[in-house]
Amino acid sequence: MNTFAQTTLSTPDDSLESGARQPVFFMSHGGGPWPYMEGAFHALFAPLGTALRAVPHQLPQAPRAVLVISAHWEEPVFTVSTAAKPGMLYDYYGFPPHTYSVRYPAPGSPEIGQRIAGLLSDAGWPVATDDQRGFDHGTFCMMQEIYPDASVPVVQMSLKHGLDPAEHIALGKLLQPLRDEGVLIIGSGQSFHNLRLHGAAARQASEVFDQWLQQAMALPQTAQRHQALTDWAQAPAARLAHPREEHLLPLMVIAGAAGDDAAHLIFSEFLADSRTSAFRFGS
């Protein structure tokens, strides 16, 4: 049996001081531009939409900005977006024409982007900034549900080529101070991401891997949790769940940023034919 800390949704308390620590999240962004579609495809992701819309109610206060670690951005070194008014990247294929003109008009935050870059450079890490990159669908599809009014600034951060789990956990540790500065950190990926596996095979593989993942996140010691994630490829059905691990790596960053905070399972549903789970760390 998993031993996750019990959690209930609550309304943000405006009386909390501005320095209240933000939790961190690993969420799914769903398939393609699903929030902007209707009918059966949109309905597949209805449970995910409910979970994403619940995120603001799990925060101590409205965030100053959101930092999204996107599964859809990889660079030779960790890279931070610093655009004041990010554009859009329609990085999906074969969807209706209107989905290539949707807009998520949230501002960026060059100030917070530079703050993030400074955390890495002060630790001796190579880091880059990008003032041109727009929101990819790993960011805008998720944020459309969390903050549909696009009122909160959004900063994106890349993964690093090589997709080394330990390195991404270490990145998360460097990002921890942001939680006390009003920045909400979200890893945007999916706990199962094999677009070639369908039907019963996808269902079985996702169930097996998800059971391991929930157990790993429920480990009582932070070091145990980090070690399990570092060795994730040895988990049951690991390479069936993630032939390439870019959609799992945002969880490594979030686990690092979580520090010693316990994991809360906040979503575990079948999206189409595969089980997907999401986690919050911190209260």
Side-chain angles (χ1 to χ4, degrees):
M1 179 178 293
N2 297 328
T3 56
F4 286 96
Q6 295 298 310
T7 182
T8 56
L9 302 186
S10 60
T11 301
D13 184 350
D14 292 333
S15 69
L16 289 173
E17 61 180 357
S18 60
R21 170 166 280 211
Q22 293 284 358
V24 292
F25 291 81
F26 172 70
M27 300 297 295
S28 170
H29 54 254
W34 70 270
Y36 303 94
M37 297 181 66
E38 298 178 352
F41 188 80
H42 185 277
L44 287 175
F45 300 96
L48 174 59
T50 299
L52 290 169
R53 290 189 293 273
V55 167
H57 303 290
Q58 300 176 57
L59 308 181
Q61 59 196 21
R64 175 183 169 203
V66 179
L67 169 61
V68 177
I69 294 88
S70 174
H72 287 269
W73 188 14
E74 298 176 35
E75 295 288 350
V77 301
F78 290 115
T79 304
V80 188
S81 65
T82 55
K85 296 181 179 180
M88 302 285 283
L89 290 178
Y90 305 112
D91 52 345
Y92 40 72
Y93 305 95
F95 288 93
H98 79 271
T99 64
Y100 298 91
S101 60
V102 298
R103 296 284 298 168
Y104 186 72
S109 176
E111 175 190 4
I112 291 176
Q114 291 293 346
R115 166 64 175 149
I116 294 165
L119 288 172
L120 273 65
S121 62
D122 288 348
W125 285 40
V127 61
T129 59
D130 187 330
D131 64 1
Q132 299 297 312
R133 184 178 173 85
F135 296 138
D136 60 55
H137 91 270
T139 296
F140 70 77
C141 287
M142 182 182 67
M143 294 305 303
Q144 173 63 30
E145 296 297 296
I146 296 174
Y147 288 116
D149 62 358
S151 59
V152 179
V154 178
V155 175
Q156 292 183 127
M157 189 165 192
S158 76
L159 304 176
K160 182 181 175 183
H161 288 173
L163 304 179
D164 182 284
E167 190 171 20
H168 286 75
I169 291 170
L171 168 66
K173 293 178 181 179
L174 293 180
L175 299 176
Q176 283 189 47
L178 298 171
R179 299 177 58 192
D180 297 314
E181 299 172 11
V183 178
L184 172 63
I185 307 174
I186 304 178
S188 174
Q190 289 191 171
S191 60
F192 178 89
H193 192 256
N194 186 339
L195 300 181
R196 296 184 177 182
L197 205 62
H198 303 284
R203 187 179 186 93
Q204 181 179 9
S206 67
E207 287 271 41
V208 169
F209 184 75
D210 196 79
Q211 181 179 26
W212 171 85
L213 187 62
Q214 290 192 37
Q215 291 172 347
M217 293 302 93
L219 289 169
Q221 299 297 321
T222 304
Q224 293 176 313
R225 189 166 66 205
H226 289 176
Q227 190 61 55
L229 288 174
T230 300
D231 298 334
W232 77 273
Q234 301 175 23
R239 284 300 178 187
L240 285 175
H242 293 278
R244 190 174 186 274
E245 57 265 41
E246 80 285 345
H247 275 69
L248 188 63
L249 262 291
L251 175 58
M252 315 309 185
V253 182
I254 294 307
D260 293 330
D261 288 345
H264 305 258
L265 179 68
I266 59 170
F267 176 82
S268 185
E269 299 283 349
F270 275 94
L271 302 180
D273 50 13
S274 59
R275 180 172 292 280
T276 298
S277 290
F279 305 90
R280 186 188 78 238
F281 299 83
S283 58

